[in-house]
Amino acid sequence: MTVQRTRAQLVDVARQLFAKKGVEETTMNDIAVASKKGRRTLYTYFKSKDQIYLAVVESELEVLSTKMEQAAERHTAPDDKIMELIMTHLEAIKMVVYRNGTLKASFFRDIWKVEAVRKEFDHKEILLFQKVLQDGKDAGYFDLDNVDIMADILHYCIKGIEVPYIRGQIADDLDDEIGWRYVSKIVFGALGCKNRRDNL
């Protein structure tokens, strides 16, 4: 087994244990036993549980990043694509947190640790937004003075509603279709989008 595959296997085993038992209750020995690799092998790759926890978060963000890139590559109009990127981001991060069970609590509690790991993901996402916004501006979909600034603002706005979105605190009395129409109204207004017919 290659070094990369062994590391990936250890991370996945740790993720499953964190989801089942909780980060605090899982020990390095638990991970070594469950992975059938032994403590020596585990410590070759990770010096502490904290280090392997951050590797788990990083691997989950890579899944999210792949989904964002796939959404950005679809052949759709820039206005539809920007909404698809927003929906993909929020839905994917919700699924990441939910599929990890008790990791949900750790994700929110250790938000600053998560922030340290997600810098690369955030940078990639901003670049995706820049490209779609520039394409939309060039094609006459968006009326923007500064694409880079708008990409930053869009990224941080979406990031800012992750926690309430995951917890179901945003428009919980509305069905999804109506809720997303409100979101699109705000987004398209900010982007100076013309000729949209998403009336509420």
Side-chain angles (χ1 to χ4, degrees), residues 119-179:
K119 282 181 181 176
E120 185 178 349
F121 165 77
D122 288 349
H123 178 67
K124 286 180 183 177
E125 181 172 86
I126 289 169
L127 291 178
L128 286 179
F129 282 139
Q130 285 174 355
K131 183 180 186 316
V132 176
L133 291 176
Q134 188 64 55
D135 289 347
K137 180 180 178 179
D138 293 344
Y141 283 86
F142 307 139
D143 181 16
L144 300 173
D145 293 328
N146 191 310
V147 166
D148 292 350
I149 290 174
M150 184 55 73
D152 284 347
I153 291 170
L154 192 56
H155 165 75
Y156 287 110
C157 284
I158 296 161
K159 191 172 176 179
I161 64 171
E162 283 176 356
V163 172
Y165 185 82
I166 290 167
R167 289 177 171 162
Q169 296 171 327
I170 298 176
D172 58 347
D173 57 336
L174 298 177
D175 64 47
D176 286 348
E177 184 180 347
I178 294 174

Side-chain angles (χ1 to χ4, degrees), residues 36-55:
K36 299 177 182 174
K37 293 294 179 188
R39 288 172 60 87
R40 180 176 291 181
T41 300
L42 178 60
Y43 277 100
T44 299
Y45 289 87
F46 303 100
K47 302 306 179 193
S48 66
K49 185 173 71 174
D50 194 50
Q51 200 175 74
I52 201 167
Y53 166 72
L54 293 178

Side-chain angles (χ1 to χ4, degrees), residues 52-181:
I52 201 167
Y53 166 72
L54 293 178
V56 167
V57 174
E58 186 175 2
S59 72
E60 294 296 271
L61 287 171
E62 285 172 9
V63 172
L64 174 55
S65 187
T66 299
K67 289 184 177 181
M68 293 290 290
E69 287 167 4
Q70 289 169 346
E73 288 168 5
R74 291 194 184 102
H75 296 292
T76 56
D79 51 348
D80 291 328
K81 189 176 287 188
I82 207 74
M83 284 305 301
E84 190 169 356
L85 284 172
I86 293 169
M87 287 189 269
T88 299
H89 175 115
L90 291 172
E91 281 299 309
I93 205 160
K94 181 167 77 171
M95 288 304 105
V96 162
V97 173
Y98 276 7
R99 90 182 182 103
N100 285 293
T102 54
L103 188 58
K104 181 178 178 183
S106 298
F107 181 88
F108 294 130
R109 185 179 64 249
D110 299 331
I111 198 70
W112 294 114
K113 287 183 185 175
V114 173
E115 279 298 303
V117 176
R118 71 178 285 175
K119 282 181 181 176
E120 185 178 349
F121 165 77
D122 288 349
H123 178 67
K124 286 180 183 177
E125 181 172 86
I126 289 169
L127 291 178
L128 286 179
F129 282 139
Q130 285 174 355
K131 183 180 186 316
V132 176
L133 291 176
Q134 188 64 55
D135 289 347
K137 180 180 178 179
D138 293 344
Y141 283 86
F142 307 139
D143 181 16
L144 300 173
D145 293 328
N146 191 310
V147 166
D148 292 350
I149 290 174
M150 184 55 73
D152 284 347
I153 291 170
L154 192 56
H155 165 75
Y156 287 110
C157 284
I158 296 161
K159 191 172 176 179
I161 64 171
E162 283 176 356
V163 172
Y165 185 82
I166 290 167
R167 289 177 171 162
Q169 296 171 327
I170 298 176
D172 58 347
D173 57 336
L174 298 177
D175 64 47
D176 286 348
E177 184 180 347
I178 294 174
W180 282 113
R181 280 165 63 194

Side-chain angles (χ1 to χ4, degrees), residues 14-25:
R15 184 193 65 76
Q16 292 177 52
L17 286 172
F18 291 160
K20 185 177 179 182
K21 298 178 64 174
V23 178
E24 298 300 325
E25 299 301 317

